[in-house]
Amino acid sequence: MTVIGDAVRYLNDPLSWTRPGGILDLLGDHLWMTLVAVLIGAVIALPLGLWLGHTGRSGTIVVGTANLTRALPTLALLYIFTAALGLGQLPTILAVAIFAVPPILSNTYTGLREVDPDARDAGLGMGMSATRLLVSVELPLALPLIAAGLRTAAVQVVATVSLASLVGGGGLGLIISNGIFTQRFGQALAGAFIVVVVCLGIEGTLALLQRLLTPASLRAGMRSRAGRRGRGAAPVAAEA
């Protein structure tokens, strides 16, 4: 209970938030690194996913290969970039950007491949070019899945950026590491709590944004399909 009490006192101390290098400063650094890393991942994954999903060429192989990067040890990758680039935010940004690529790439590819063939055929029947078909038909229908990939990537990155403190990159992880190194475990617990709250906040904000980006007609269709799957699953359960 002492550790929890220390954490509460740390969070309730105004100086913990407002002093130079305090929570607000570290939060700004944390969100900045997250934004840049996700943008780098999106710049790589979105065009590749759109092209693979539109053409269907070797998409499964490329997406599967990208997903293998999730097995890379985060700390090892972080130290490799640090050895090459030195201490600071840059090695952290590049290391975590690698982990932003797979969910964005996978969801973009899957979203385009799952576009209703009838909608694609209708666009071709209207004389649309390949580019116009992608922009006007396939991309709007795939947008909910693409947004979900971006959301997953952002949450993964904002959690992983906490490791930046180990290579002089700052961020909210610095509260945790300083607390552990100085045996102020209440501070470390408070830092972990802040990271969790930030992750949940980003998840909720992007979930709302994803809902706003999904056309109402498409949301209704998704609910209808989910309802049919649910009704279809009930007799199987009963028979079992």
Side-chain angles (χ1 to χ4, degrees):
M1 292 300 294
T2 302
V3 173
I4 297 176
D6 290 343
V8 172
R9 282 190 291 273
Y10 179 84
L11 293 173
N12 284 331
D13 185 354
L15 288 178
S16 298
W17 294 85
T18 58
R19 64 180 174 81
I23 295 173
L24 294 180
D25 283 350
L26 296 176
L27 176 60
D29 290 341
H30 201 102
L31 294 178
W32 165 252
M33 288 186 284
T34 298
L35 175 63
V36 176
V38 173
L39 285 177
I40 292 174
V43 166
I44 296 171
L46 279 176
L48 182 58
L50 289 173
W51 180 75
L52 292 172
H54 178 69
T55 62
R57 298 175 183 174
S58 307
T60 304
I61 297 174
V62 175
V63 172
T65 302
N67 283 331
L68 290 177
T69 62
R70 298 184 181 187
L72 294 174
T74 308
L75 277 176
L77 198 60
L78 183 60
Y79 288 142
I80 289 172
F81 278 109
T82 301
L85 302 172
L87 297 172
Q89 294 184 354
L90 182 58
T92 302
I93 291 171
L94 295 179
V96 298
I98 291 176
F99 296 105
V101 170
I104 300 174
L105 178 59
S106 298
N107 278 44
T108 303
Y109 172 77
T110 302
L112 262 71
R113 296 313 300 166
E114 290 187 354
V115 169
D116 191 339
D118 291 339
R120 192 178 285 115
D121 291 341
L124 292 174
M126 295 171 61
M128 289 185 178
S129 64
T131 301
R132 187 180 175 191
L133 179 68
L134 172 63
V135 173
S136 301
V137 177
E138 294 176 327
L139 185 56
L141 293 175
L143 197 56
L145 262 182
I146 295 174
L150 288 167
R151 186 177 82 189
T152 301
V155 174
Q156 289 179 352
V157 167
V158 78
T160 310
V161 162
S162 301
L163 297 174
S165 62
L166 301 179
V167 294
L172 294 172
L174 195 59
I175 302 173
I176 302 173
S177 58
N178 284 346
I180 293 174
F181 294 152
T182 60
Q183 296 187 357
R184 297 175 181 173
F185 299 114
Q187 175 182 322
L189 178 61
F193 174 76
I194 295 170
V195 172
V196 170
V197 170
V198 171
C199 288
L200 292 176
I202 289 179
E203 167 73 16
T205 301
L206 294 182
L208 177 61
L209 182 60
Q210 178 185 345
R211 178 176 176 82
L212 293 176
L213 289 175
T214 304
S217 58
L218 188 55
R219 288 201 302 267
M222 293 167 64
R223 286 196 296 267
S224 176
R225 288 195 296 271
R228 287 198 298 270
R229 286 196 296 267
R231 288 193 298 270
V236 176
E239 290 175 3

Coordinates of all heavy atoms in Angstrom, one line a residue, residues 165-234:
S165 N 13.5 5.8 -23.0 CA 14.3 6.3 -21.8 C 15.6 5.5 -21.7 O 16.6 6.0 -21.1 CB 13.5 6.2 -20.5 OG 13.1 4.8 -20.3
L166 N 15.6 4.3 -22.2 CA 16.8 3.5 -22.0 C 18.0 3.9 -23.0 O 19.1 3.5 -22.8 CB 16.5 2.0 -22.3 CG 15.4 1.4 -21.4 CD1 15.2 -0.1 -21.9 CD2 15.8 1.4 -20.0
V167 N 17.6 4.8 -24.0 CA 18.7 5.2 -24.9 C 18.7 6.7 -25.0 O 19.1 7.3 -26.0 CB 18.5 4.6 -26.3 CG1 18.7 3.1 -26.3 CG2 17.1 4.9 -26.8
G168 N 18.3 7.4 -23.9 CA 18.4 8.8 -23.8 C 17.3 9.5 -24.7 O 17.5 10.7 -25.1
G169 N 16.2 8.9 -25.0 CA 15.2 9.5 -25.8 C 14.1 10.2 -25.1 O 13.2 10.9 -25.7
G170 N 14.1 10.1 -23.8 CA 13.0 10.7 -23.0 C 11.7 10.0 -23.1 O 11.7 8.8 -23.2
G171 N 10.6 10.7 -23.0 CA 9.3 10.1 -23.0 C 8.9 9.7 -21.6 O 9.6 9.8 -20.6
L172 N 7.7 9.2 -21.5 CA 7.1 8.8 -20.2 C 7.8 7.7 -19.6 O 7.8 7.5 -18.3 CB 5.6 8.5 -20.4 CG 4.7 9.6 -20.8 CD1 3.3 9.1 -21.1 CD2 4.6 10.7 -19.7
G173 N 8.5 6.9 -20.3 CA 9.3 5.8 -19.8 C 10.4 6.3 -18.8 O 10.8 5.5 -18.0
L174 N 10.8 7.5 -19.0 CA 11.8 8.1 -18.1 C 11.3 8.1 -16.6 O 12.1 7.9 -15.7 CB 12.2 9.5 -18.6 CG 13.5 10.1 -18.0 CD1 14.7 9.2 -18.3 CD2 13.7 11.5 -18.5
I175 N 10.0 8.4 -16.4 CA 9.5 8.3 -15.1 C 9.6 7.0 -14.5 O 10.0 6.8 -13.3 CB 8.0 8.8 -15.1 CG1 7.8 10.2 -15.7 CG2 7.4 8.7 -13.7 CD1 6.4 10.6 -16.0
I176 N 9.3 5.9 -15.3 CA 9.4 4.6 -14.8 C 10.9 4.2 -14.5 O 11.2 3.7 -13.4 CB 8.8 3.6 -15.8 CG1 7.3 4.0 -16.1 CG2 8.9 2.2 -15.3 CD1 6.7 3.2 -17.3
S177 N 11.8 4.4 -15.5 CA 13.1 4.0 -15.3 C 13.8 4.8 -14.1 O 14.5 4.2 -13.3 CB 13.9 4.2 -16.6 OG 13.9 5.5 -17.0
N178 N 13.6 6.1 -14.0 CA 14.1 6.8 -12.9 C 13.6 6.3 -11.6 O 14.3 6.2 -10.6 CB 13.8 8.3 -13.1 CG 14.7 9.0 -14.1 OD1 15.7 8.4 -14.5 ND2 14.3 10.2 -14.5
G179 N 12.3 6.0 -11.5 CA 11.8 5.5 -10.3 C 12.4 4.2 -9.9 O 12.6 3.9 -8.7
I180 N 12.6 3.3 -10.9 CA 13.2 2.0 -10.6 C 14.7 2.2 -10.1 O 15.1 1.6 -9.1 CB 13.1 1.1 -11.8 CG1 11.7 0.7 -12.0 CG2 14.0 -0.2 -11.6 CD1 11.4 -0.1 -13.3
F181 N 15.4 3.0 -10.9 CA 16.9 3.1 -10.6 C 17.1 3.8 -9.2 O 18.1 3.5 -8.5 CB 17.5 4.0 -11.7 CG 17.6 3.3 -13.0 CD1 17.6 4.0 -14.2 CD2 17.6 1.9 -13.1 CE1 17.6 3.4 -15.4 CE2 17.6 1.3 -14.3 CZ 17.7 2.0 -15.5
T182 N 16.2 4.7 -8.8 CA 16.3 5.4 -7.5 C 15.5 4.7 -6.4 O 15.4 5.2 -5.3 CB 15.9 6.8 -7.6 OG1 14.5 6.9 -8.0 CG2 16.7 7.6 -8.6
Q183 N 14.9 3.6 -6.7 CA 14.1 2.8 -5.8 C 12.9 3.6 -5.3 O 12.4 3.4 -4.2 CB 14.9 2.3 -4.6 CG 16.0 1.3 -5.1 CD 16.7 0.6 -3.9 OE1 16.4 0.9 -2.8 NE2 17.6 -0.3 -4.2
R184 N 12.4 4.5 -6.1 CA 11.1 5.2 -5.8 C 10.0 4.5 -6.6 O 9.6 4.9 -7.7 CB 11.2 6.7 -6.3 CG 12.3 7.4 -5.5 CD 12.4 8.9 -6.0 NE 13.5 9.6 -5.3 CZ 13.9 10.8 -5.6 NH1 13.4 11.4 -6.7 NH2 14.8 11.4 -4.9
F185 N 9.6 3.4 -6.1 CA 8.7 2.5 -6.9 C 7.3 3.1 -7.0 O 6.6 2.7 -7.9 CB 8.7 1.1 -6.2 CG 10.0 0.5 -6.1 CD1 10.6 0.2 -4.9 CD2 10.6 0.1 -7.3 CE1 11.9 -0.4 -4.9 CE2 11.9 -0.5 -7.2 CZ 12.5 -0.8 -6.0
G186 N 6.9 4.0 -6.1 CA 5.7 4.7 -6.3 C 5.7 5.6 -7.6 O 4.7 5.6 -8.3
Q187 N 6.8 6.2 -7.8 CA 7.0 7.0 -9.1 C 6.9 6.1 -10.3 O 6.3 6.4 -11.3 CB 8.3 7.8 -9.0 CG 8.6 8.5 -10.3 CD 10.0 9.2 -10.2 OE1 10.4 9.8 -9.2 NE2 10.7 9.2 -11.4
A188 N 7.6 5.0 -10.2 CA 7.6 4.0 -11.3 C 6.2 3.5 -11.6 O 5.7 3.4 -12.8 CB 8.5 2.8 -11.0
L189 N 5.4 3.2 -10.5 CA 4.0 2.8 -10.7 C 3.2 3.9 -11.3 O 2.4 3.7 -12.2 CB 3.5 2.4 -9.3 CG 2.0 2.0 -9.3 CD1 1.8 0.8 -10.2 CD2 1.5 1.7 -7.9
A190 N 3.4 5.2 -10.9 CA 2.7 6.3 -11.4 C 3.0 6.5 -12.9 O 2.1 6.7 -13.7 CB 3.1 7.6 -10.7
G191 N 4.3 6.3 -13.3 CA 4.6 6.4 -14.7 C 4.0 5.3 -15.6 O 3.5 5.6 -16.7
A192 N 3.9 4.1 -15.0 CA 3.3 3.0 -15.7 C 1.8 3.3 -15.9 O 1.2 3.0 -17.0 CB 3.5 1.7 -15.0
F193 N 1.2 3.9 -14.8 CA -0.3 4.2 -14.9 C -0.5 5.3 -16.0 O -1.5 5.2 -16.7 CB -0.7 4.7 -13.5 CG -2.1 5.2 -13.5 CD1 -3.2 4.3 -13.5 CD2 -2.4 6.6 -13.5 CE1 -4.5 4.8 -13.5 CE2 -3.7 7.1 -13.5 CZ -4.7 6.2 -13.5
I194 N 0.4 6.2 -16.1 CA 0.2 7.3 -17.1 C 0.3 6.7 -18.5 O -0.5 7.1 -19.4 CB 1.2 8.4 -16.9 CG1 1.0 9.1 -15.6 CG2 1.2 9.4 -18.0 CD1 2.2 10.1 -15.2
V195 N 1.2 5.8 -18.7 CA 1.4 5.2 -20.0 C 0.1 4.4 -20.4 O -0.4 4.5 -21.5 CB 2.6 4.2 -20.0 CG1 2.6 3.4 -21.3 CG2 3.9 5.0 -19.9
V196 N -0.5 3.7 -19.4 CA -1.7 2.9 -19.6 C -2.9 3.9 -20.0 O -3.6 3.6 -21.0 CB -2.1 2.1 -18.4 CG1 -3.5 1.5 -18.6 CG2 -1.1 1.0 -18.2
V197 N -3.0 5.0 -19.3 CA -4.0 5.9 -19.6 C -3.9 6.5 -21.0 O -4.9 6.7 -21.7 CB -4.1 7.1 -18.5 CG1 -5.0 8.2 -18.9 CG2 -4.5 6.5 -17.1
V198 N -2.6 6.9 -21.3 CA -2.4 7.4 -22.7 C -2.7 6.4 -23.7 O -3.4 6.7 -24.8 CB -0.9 7.9 -22.8 CG1 -0.6 8.2 -24.2 CG2 -0.6 9.0 -21.9
C199 N -2.4 5.1 -23.5 CA -2.7 4.1 -24.5 C -4.3 4.0 -24.7 O -4.8 3.9 -25.8 CB -2.2 2.7 -24.1 SG -0.4 2.6 -24.3
L200 N -5.0 4.0 -23.5 CA -6.4 3.9 -23.6 C -7.0 5.1 -24.2 O -8.0 5.0 -25.0 CB -7.0 3.7 -22.2 CG -6.7 2.3 -21.5 CD1 -7.2 2.3 -20.1 CD2 -7.2 1.2 -22.3
G201 N -6.5 6.3 -24.0 CA -7.0 7.5 -24.6 C -6.8 7.5 -26.1 O -7.7 7.9 -26.8
I202 N -5.6 7.1 -26.5 CA -5.4 7.0 -28.0 C -6.3 6.0 -28.6 O -6.9 6.2 -29.7 CB -3.9 6.7 -28.3 CG1 -3.1 7.9 -27.9 CG2 -3.7 6.3 -29.7 CD1 -1.6 7.8 -28.1
E203 N -6.5 4.8 -28.0 CA -7.3 3.8 -28.5 C -8.8 4.3 -28.6 O -9.4 4.1 -29.7 CB -7.3 2.6 -27.5 CG -8.4 1.5 -27.8 CD -8.2 0.7 -29.0 OE1 -7.1 0.7 -29.5 OE2 -9.2 0.1 -29.5
G204 N -9.3 4.9 -27.6 CA -10.6 5.5 -27.6 C -10.8 6.5 -28.7 O -11.8 6.6 -29.4
T205 N -9.9 7.5 -28.7 CA -10.0 8.6 -29.7 C -9.9 8.0 -31.1 O -10.8 8.5 -32.0 CB -8.8 9.5 -29.5 OG1 -8.8 10.1 -28.2 CG2 -8.9 10.7 -30.5
L206 N -9.0 7.1 -31.4 CA -9.0 6.6 -32.8 C -10.1 5.7 -33.1 O -10.6 5.6 -34.3 CB -7.6 5.8 -33.0 CG -6.4 6.7 -32.9 CD1 -5.1 5.9 -33.1 CD2 -6.4 7.8 -33.9
A207 N -10.7 5.0 -32.1 CA -11.9 4.2 -32.3 C -13.1 5.1 -32.7 O -13.8 4.7 -33.7 CB -12.2 3.4 -31.1
L208 N -13.2 6.2 -32.1 CA -14.2 7.2 -32.4 C -14.0 7.7 -33.8 O -14.9 7.8 -34.6 CB -14.3 8.3 -31.4 CG -15.3 9.4 -31.7 CD1 -16.7 8.9 -31.7 CD2 -15.1 10.5 -30.6
L209 N -12.8 8.0 -34.1 CA -12.4 8.5 -35.5 C -12.7 7.5 -36.5 O -13.3 7.8 -37.6 CB -11.0 9.0 -35.5 CG -10.5 9.6 -36.8 CD1 -11.2 10.8 -37.2 CD2 -9.0 9.9 -36.8
Q210 N -12.4 6.2 -36.2 CA -12.7 5.2 -37.2 C -14.2 5.1 -37.4 O -14.6 4.9 -38.6 CB -12.2 3.8 -36.6 CG -12.5 2.6 -37.5 CD -12.0 1.3 -36.9 OE1 -11.3 1.3 -36.0 NE2 -12.5 0.2 -37.4
R211 N -15.0 5.2 -36.4 CA -16.4 5.1 -36.6 C -16.9 6.3 -37.4 O -17.8 6.1 -38.3 CB -17.1 5.1 -35.2 CG -18.6 5.1 -35.2 CD -19.2 5.0 -33.9 NE -20.7 5.1 -33.9 CZ -21.5 4.1 -34.2 NH1 -20.9 2.9 -34.4 NH2 -22.8 4.2 -34.2
L212 N -16.4 7.5 -37.2 CA -16.8 8.6 -38.0 C -16.4 8.5 -39.4 O -17.1 9.0 -40.3 CB -16.2 9.9 -37.4 CG -16.6 10.3 -36.0 CD1 -15.9 11.5 -35.5 CD2 -18.1 10.6 -36.0
L213 N -15.3 7.8 -39.7 CA -14.8 7.7 -41.1 C -15.6 6.6 -41.8 O -15.6 6.5 -43.1 CB -13.4 7.3 -41.1 CG -12.4 8.5 -40.7 CD1 -11.0 7.9 -40.7 CD2 -12.5 9.6 -41.7
T214 N -16.3 5.7 -41.1 CA -17.1 4.6 -41.7 C -18.5 5.1 -42.1 O -19.2 5.6 -41.3 CB -17.2 3.5 -40.7 OG1 -16.0 3.0 -40.3 CG2 -17.9 2.3 -41.4
P215 N -18.8 5.1 -43.4 CA -20.1 5.5 -43.8 C -21.2 4.8 -43.1 O -21.1 3.6 -42.8 CB -20.1 5.2 -45.3 CG -18.7 5.1 -45.7 CD -18.0 4.6 -44.5
A216 N -22.3 5.5 -42.8 CA -23.4 4.9 -42.1 C -24.0 3.7 -42.8 O -24.3 2.7 -42.1 CB -24.5 5.9 -41.9
S217 N -24.0 3.7 -44.1 CA -24.6 2.5 -44.8 C -23.6 1.3 -44.7 O -24.1 0.2 -44.6 CB -24.7 2.9 -46.3 OG -23.4 3.3 -46.9
L218 N -22.3 1.6 -44.6 CA -21.4 0.5 -44.5 C -21.4 -0.1 -43.1 O -21.4 -1.3 -42.8 CB -20.0 1.0 -44.8 CG -18.9 -0.1 -44.8 CD1 -19.2 -1.2 -45.8 CD2 -17.5 0.6 -45.2
R219 N -21.6 0.8 -42.0 CA -21.8 0.3 -40.7 C -23.0 -0.5 -40.5 O -23.0 -1.6 -39.9 CB -21.9 1.5 -39.7 CG -20.6 2.3 -39.5 CD -20.7 3.1 -38.2 NE -21.8 4.0 -38.1 CZ -21.7 5.3 -38.5 NH1 -20.6 5.7 -39.0 NH2 -22.7 6.1 -38.4
A220 N -24.1 -0.1 -41.2 CA -25.3 -0.9 -41.2 C -25.1 -2.3 -41.8 O -25.6 -3.3 -41.3 CB -26.5 -0.2 -41.8
G221 N -24.4 -2.3 -42.9 CA -24.1 -3.6 -43.6 C -23.3 -4.5 -42.7 O -23.5 -5.7 -42.7
M222 N -22.3 -3.9 -42.0 CA -21.4 -4.7 -41.1 C -22.2 -5.3 -40.0 O -22.0 -6.4 -39.6 CB -20.3 -3.8 -40.6 CG -19.3 -3.4 -41.7 SD -18.1 -2.1 -41.2 CE -17.2 -3.0 -39.9
R223 N -23.1 -4.5 -39.4 CA -24.0 -5.0 -38.3 C -24.9 -6.1 -38.8 O -25.1 -7.1 -38.1 CB -24.8 -3.9 -37.7 CG -24.0 -2.9 -36.8 CD -24.9 -2.0 -36.0 NE -25.7 -1.2 -36.8 CZ -25.4 0.1 -37.2 NH1 -24.3 0.6 -36.8 NH2 -26.2 0.8 -37.9
S224 N -25.4 -5.9 -40.0 CA -26.3 -6.9 -40.6 C -25.5 -8.3 -40.8 O -26.1 -9.3 -40.5 CB -26.9 -6.4 -41.9 OG -27.7 -7.4 -42.5
R225 N -24.3 -8.2 -41.3 CA -23.5 -9.4 -41.6 C -23.2 -10.1 -40.2 O -23.2 -11.3 -40.1 CB -22.3 -9.1 -42.4 CG -22.5 -8.7 -43.8 CD -21.3 -8.8 -44.6 NE -20.3 -7.8 -44.2 CZ -20.3 -6.6 -44.7 NH1 -21.1 -6.2 -45.6 NH2 -19.4 -5.7 -44.2
A226 N -22.8 -9.2 -39.2 CA -22.5 -9.8 -37.9 C -23.7 -10.5 -37.3 O -23.6 -11.5 -36.7 CB -22.0 -8.7 -37.0
G227 N -24.9 -9.9 -37.5 CA -26.1 -10.5 -37.0 C -26.4 -11.8 -37.7 O -26.8 -12.8 -37.0
R228 N -26.2 -11.9 -39.0 CA -26.5 -13.1 -39.7 C -25.5 -14.2 -39.2 O -25.9 -15.4 -39.1 CB -26.4 -12.9 -41.2 CG -27.5 -12.1 -41.8 CD -27.6 -12.3 -43.3 NE -26.4 -11.8 -44.0 CZ -26.2 -10.6 -44.4 NH1 -27.2 -9.7 -44.2 NH2 -25.1 -10.2 -45.0
R229 N -24.2 -13.8 -39.0 CA -23.3 -14.8 -38.6 C -23.7 -15.3 -37.2 O -23.5 -16.5 -36.9 CB -21.9 -14.2 -38.5 CG -21.2 -14.0 -39.9 CD -19.7 -13.8 -39.8 NE -19.4 -12.6 -39.1 CZ -19.2 -11.4 -39.7 NH1 -19.3 -11.3 -41.0 NH2 -18.9 -10.3 -39.0
G230 N -24.1 -14.4 -36.3 CA -24.5 -14.8 -35.0 C -25.7 -15.7 -35.0 O -25.8 -16.7 -34.3
R231 N -26.7 -15.4 -35.9 CA -27.9 -16.3 -36.0 C -27.5 -17.7 -36.6 O -28.0 -18.7 -36.2 CB -29.0 -15.6 -36.8 CG -29.6 -14.5 -36.1 CD -30.9 -14.1 -36.8 NE -30.6 -13.6 -38.2 CZ -30.3 -12.3 -38.5 NH1 -30.3 -11.4 -37.5 NH2 -30.1 -12.0 -39.7
G232 N -26.5 -17.6 -37.5 CA -26.1 -18.9 -38.1 C -25.4 -19.8 -37.2 O -25.4 -21.0 -37.3
A233 N -24.7 -19.2 -36.2 CA -23.9 -19.9 -35.2 C -24.7 -20.6 -34.2 O -24.3 -21.6 -33.6 CB -22.8 -19.1 -34.6
A234 N -25.9 -20.1 -33.9 CA -26.7 -20.6 -32.8 C -27.2 -22.1 -33.0 O -27.0 -22.9 -32.1 CB -28.0 -19.7 -32.6

